[in-house]
Amino acid sequence: MADETTNQGIPEPEGAVDLIETEFEIGQDNVEGSVGPFGFDVHNPVFAVSAAAIIVFVAYALLAPEQAGSFFGWLRPALTSSFDWFFLWAANIFVIFCLLLVVTPWGSVRLGGQDATPDYGYAGWFAMLFAAGMGIGLMFFGVLEPVYYFATPWGDAPLGVVRPFAEDGTLIPENIDAARQMALAATSFHWALHPWAIYAVVALALALFTYNKGLPLSIRSAFYPIFGERVWGWVGHVIDILAVFATLFGLATSLGLGAQQANAGLDFVYGIPVSTTVQVILIIGITCLALFSVVRGLDGGVKLLSEINMIIAIILLAFVLIAAGPATILTEFGEGLVGYLREVIPLSNPHGREDTGFLQGWTAFYWAWWISWSPFVGMFIARVSRGRTVREFIICVLLIPSLVCLFWMAVFGGAAIEQVIADPAGSAVKAQVIDAYKPELSLFAMLGSLPFASITSTVGIILVIVFFVTSSDSGSLVIDTITAGGKVDAPMPQRVFWCTFEGLVAIALLIGGGLSSLQAMVISTGLPFTVILLLMCVAIFKGLKTEPR
Amino acid sequence: MFNRIMVPVDLAHVDKLTRSLTVAGDMASHYGASLCFVAVGSSAPGPTGRTPAEFGDTLAAFADAQGRQRGVSATSLPILAHDPAADLNHALLKAVKDTGADLVIMASHVPGIADYLLSSHGGHLAAHAGVSVMLIREG
């Protein structure tokens, strides 16, 4: 009879956690219904206000393109140059905070309860970490950034390091080693500990307050220790709306600009003409793939695609390593690592610097950019990180990806710098990165000087496109969850809506103009989010204190 | 004819399951079968449980109440999926095997144009499960 009721589905107890007692019931502010044949279950007012705000900003950029361009074109550099010290100190705090968590007893707290088991194995987990928030950047900046720092003649060399070229374009042999090491160290600085610490803070805060405290999977939940029950009201609405807004515009503008870059790559490799039509077709194609992936879900779509992409990326990495000479590249990796460890503190210090071109134009810009992406990437990482201890989480989200990025930059950047040194006047990389400054062609210029260029360039283009797909599908999942009030099982048409909406925004801005100005706006949201992230550190500290370990 | 009837339920919408729950209870009484209530949830907090254990408790309490109300034996099987909205079909097919059920009774909506784009869960189960599947239109 009824007393035979058993509980067979959960294989083992999840162990003790310190649930937060709250009056709030998940989904209590949601509105359910249907539009035509499609059901929905959305948070009121986060869904409606987010969607409306996005439409208003798209309309502004389309109707007053010059005003939008000049305003956001002024705002972004104004913020990164006025608040460079703030961005740099905040990022330093995030790194120190994360490293402290590894060595303190709080590192033993397990996300999801003491007996929770990891949702994903290491391979799938790492693949998703990179695919969501960084893969596309590694493709774009892997060659560009090291070569730029190595050879920049525009006075924005990192820490004012010596220039390897004389004014007549000839090499100055005694300066090469120092310039190369600094180029790799400075690139690593932007891709190793600091960005991953930014992501780790957001991800850890969300995972802790979701899996251990029982609050909905939404950005606002991390602020419960600070705002208490008010977090379910307008304070929380604003935080969540800002996150949706930054995520959607971040993805849509990257997709639009990415389509232009992919088009430039296709032109360079295959002679496919650069035109709006080609770019719109690319956006539609990427959006369709993302739709397919997002409907297949986290395991059947996003994870699978991320794993495929990781394998292709490793093959490309191995090829460049072998083709460019493993001995040379591994030496550069070692030098880059030593340079990074030596320069990381001087590069992290915002005070008394004379290299403002680098400090404000690159470092502060990067920090604002990473931070504006952190709600999206952090939330996605949180979604897939249940079952790890805090220590394991930090090691795997902060230290291992940092090493991977250091290695990636040493291989792609190192190979490209070697090409520049070998043939300063004729190298395609220098021609594209410095002489013509066409950053979107830097990767293809480097690959073009290695064997099997047509094959590797094609692989490069496929990687770029699939990384856009994996960003787009994981972003749609994140936006859908936030706008459904933290529910992860909202009706499927909702995530189809957000994924399609992202493609439409990208197409509208591509045709009407405004991609660059709205991307500048997104990066500007890095400033308020920096404050939000600092508060998250406080919340994590408070949350971990009461957690059983 | 039937020994174990699997009844997939959406715990957040049990108010919409009146007909299917009645039919399941009647069939269980008629054949002397036991009911096994199955629900698919996520490890993230949701309206029906803030932890996986709470989700399991909610389902167990529901099964218990149904068993008492209908005077039949009732068990429960909570399933955790990484992405419930996408993994539901696969999870339910697996649950048919795990529960050892020989009949599935499941609520289903009246099909509309959206079913051409995203197939219904009941339809998918009927198409792929090795056991009998009875779909009850709830309106």
Side-chain angles (χ1 to χ4, degrees):
Chain A
M1 295 297 286
D3 59 357
E4 289 173 21
T5 301
T6 53
N7 189 342
Q8 313 163 28
I10 299 162
E12 51 192 302
E14 301 296 311
V17 287
D18 176 48
L19 286 183
I20 285 178
E21 291 307 320
T22 169
E23 296 294 306
F24 181 79
E25 284 182 21
I26 297 169
Q28 71 173 37
D29 294 334
N30 280 29
V31 179
E32 287 186 60
S34 59
V35 178
F38 301 110
F40 65 82
D41 180 0
V42 298
H43 185 278
N44 176 34
V46 169
F47 183 96
V49 175
S50 307
I54 289 159
I55 291 169
V56 166
F57 270 82
V58 170
Y60 171 55
L62 294 180
L63 296 175
E66 284 178 18
Q67 196 194 9
S70 63
F71 176 64
F72 294 121
W74 162 82
L75 180 68
R76 205 277 300 156
L79 291 180
T80 45
S81 52
S82 309
F83 293 95
D84 54 347
W85 59 274
F86 182 59
F87 286 117
L88 264 76
W89 272 116
N92 294 341
I93 288 170
F94 302 143
V95 174
I96 294 165
F97 179 75
C98 287
L99 293 177
L100 280 179
L101 286 180
V102 175
V103 295
T104 54
W106 293 306
S108 313
V109 171
R110 191 174 284 279
L111 300 169
Q114 279 177 309
D115 303 326
T117 48
D119 277 4
Y120 290 97
Y122 285 110
W125 192 33
F126 279 126
M128 288 192 280
L129 294 184
F130 277 96
M134 205 167 263
I136 196 74
L138 289 174
M139 299 300 293
F140 187 73
F141 288 101
V143 168
L144 168 68
E145 204 174 336
V147 172
Y148 184 94
Y149 297 151
F150 177 74
T152 172
W154 297 299
D156 52 354
L159 297 174
V161 69
V162 289
R163 297 293 74 214
F165 289 105
E167 287 199 6
D168 61 359
T170 53
L171 276 171
I172 308 171
E174 62 270 26
N175 288 356
I176 290 176
D177 285 344
R180 178 173 53 200
Q181 191 176 25
M182 180 60 86
L184 290 172
T187 308
S188 303
F189 174 59
H190 291 154
W191 292 85
L193 294 176
H194 288 74
W196 290 101
I198 288 166
Y199 288 167
V201 163
V202 180
L204 182 59
L206 295 174
L208 181 68
F209 285 92
T210 299
Y211 300 127
N212 295 50
K213 307 293 182 188
L215 302 183
L217 181 57
S218 202
I219 309 288
R220 68 173 81 195
S221 294
F223 296 92
Y224 190 88
I226 294 166
F227 297 115
E229 293 291 322
R230 277 176 298 167
V231 88
W232 312 123
W234 273 103
V235 178
H237 299 340
V238 169
I239 292 171
D240 279 354
I241 289 167
L242 198 57
V244 171
F245 189 77
T247 302
L248 193 115
F249 270 123
L251 287 167
T253 52
S254 299
L255 182 58
L257 295 168
Q260 291 177 339
Q261 290 149 8
N263 195 178
L266 288 169
D267 178 39
F268 186 73
V269 180
Y270 299 114
I272 293 174
V274 174
S275 77
T276 310
T277 314
V278 174
Q279 291 157 16
V280 170
I281 291 171
L282 278 169
I283 294 176
I284 292 173
I286 288 169
T287 305
C288 287
L289 283 172
L291 274 174
F292 181 69
S293 166
V294 88
V295 169
R296 300 246 316 161
L298 203 46
D299 291 359
V302 183
K303 174 166 162 270
L304 183 71
L305 217 47
S306 302
E307 286 174 339
I308 292 172
N309 230 23
M310 187 171 72
I311 292 166
I312 303 175
I314 290 171
I315 292 171
L316 188 64
L317 183 77
F319 169 79
V320 175
L321 175 67
I322 292 163
T328 317
I329 299 292
L330 291 175
T331 311
E332 293 197 9
F333 173 58
E335 278 186 16
L337 193 60
V338 170
Y340 175 63
L341 294 174
R342 193 180 63 215
E343 304 295 348
V344 65
I345 292 175
L347 286 168
S348 309
N349 164 36
H351 306 294
R353 296 264 293 261
E354 287 173 8
D355 56 339
T356 47
F358 174 77
L359 172 67
Q360 296 171 353
W362 286 89
T363 304
F365 168 81
Y366 259 122
W367 283 191
W369 196 12
W370 294 131
I371 290 170
S372 73
W373 277 78
S374 64
F376 150 45
V377 182
M379 182 143 155
F380 184 71
I381 294 176
R383 176 89 187 258
V384 297
S385 299
R386 186 177 179 278
R388 306 281 174 188
T389 63
V390 170
R391 187 169 294 122
E392 192 183 8
F393 176 87
I394 300 284
I395 289 171
C396 292
V397 175
L398 181 68
L399 299 180
I400 293 176
S402 291
L403 273 176
V404 172
C405 284
L406 283 169
F407 190 65
W408 181 279
M409 291 301 179
V411 172
F412 282 73
I417 290 175
E418 286 308 314
Q419 291 177 2
V420 175
I421 295 170
D423 183 10
S427 88
V429 173
K430 183 163 180 288
Q432 298 296 352
V433 175
I434 301 297
D435 303 339
Y437 195 63
K438 288 190 173 166
E440 62 273 23
L441 297 180
S442 53
L443 172 69
F444 302 108
M446 187 273 284
L447 291 175
S449 305
L450 296 177
F452 309 113
S454 60
I455 299 173
T456 55
S457 298
T458 307
V459 171
I461 289 174
I462 292 171
L463 263 178
V464 169
I465 288 175
V466 183
F467 272 129
F468 271 114
V469 175
T470 53
S471 285
S472 178
D473 58 11
S474 48
S476 302
L477 277 180
V478 164
I479 297 176
D480 178 39
T481 306
I482 300 177
T483 56
K487 280 189 179 181
V488 293
D489 58 351
M492 193 61 84
Q494 262 163 253
R495 50 175 97 162
V496 171
F497 165 80
W498 284 113
C499 194
T500 314
F501 195 51
E502 180 203 322
L504 289 176
V505 168
I507 291 172
L509 295 174
L510 180 76
I511 294 172
L515 281 170
S516 301
S517 55
L518 288 188
Q519 189 173 51
M521 179 201 66
V522 174
I523 296 169
S524 308
T525 64
L527 187 66
F529 274 121
T530 307
V531 179
I532 287 180
L533 262 65
L534 287 167
L535 290 174
M536 275 184 175
C537 292
V538 179
I540 292 173
F541 177 69
K542 285 187 166 183
L544 283 177
K545 262 200 324 192
T546 57
E547 203 55 37
R549 49 177 195 266
Chain B
M1 188 176 296
F2 300 112
N3 295 317
R4 197 166 175 77
I5 303 173
M6 173 174 133
V7 188
V9 289
D10 178 354
L11 284 176
H13 296 107
V14 282
D15 53 315
K16 293 182 185 161
L17 303 178
T18 46
R19 283 155 63 91
S20 54
L21 292 177
T22 307
V23 171
D26 292 349
M27 293 283 275
S29 290
H30 182 76
Y31 289 110
S34 64
L35 292 177
C36 182
F37 290 92
V38 172
V40 179
S42 149
S43 52
T48 49
R50 295 169 68 202
T51 63
E54 268 189 33
F55 175 71
D57 291 344
T58 310
L59 181 64
F62 175 77
D64 189 58
Q66 285 291 319
R68 284 178 200 282
Q69 184 187 339
R70 308 194 187 276
V72 294
S73 151
T75 58
S76 64
L77 177 68
I79 300 169
L80 293 187
H82 291 152
D83 186 359
D87 301 337
L88 190 62
N89 289 339
H90 179 72
L92 290 181
L93 273 175
K94 187 170 174 296
V96 173
K97 287 203 179 74
D98 292 348
T99 56
D102 42 20
L103 171 66
V104 179
I105 296 182
M106 185 174 177
S108 183
H109 58 268
V110 176
I113 190 159
D115 292 281
Y116 289 99
L117 300 171
L118 297 166
S119 77
S120 78
H121 303 302
H124 187 270
L125 200 59
H128 298 282
V131 301
S132 303
V133 177
M134 184 174 186
L135 298 182
I136 310 293
R137 299 282 182 227
E138 292 282 358

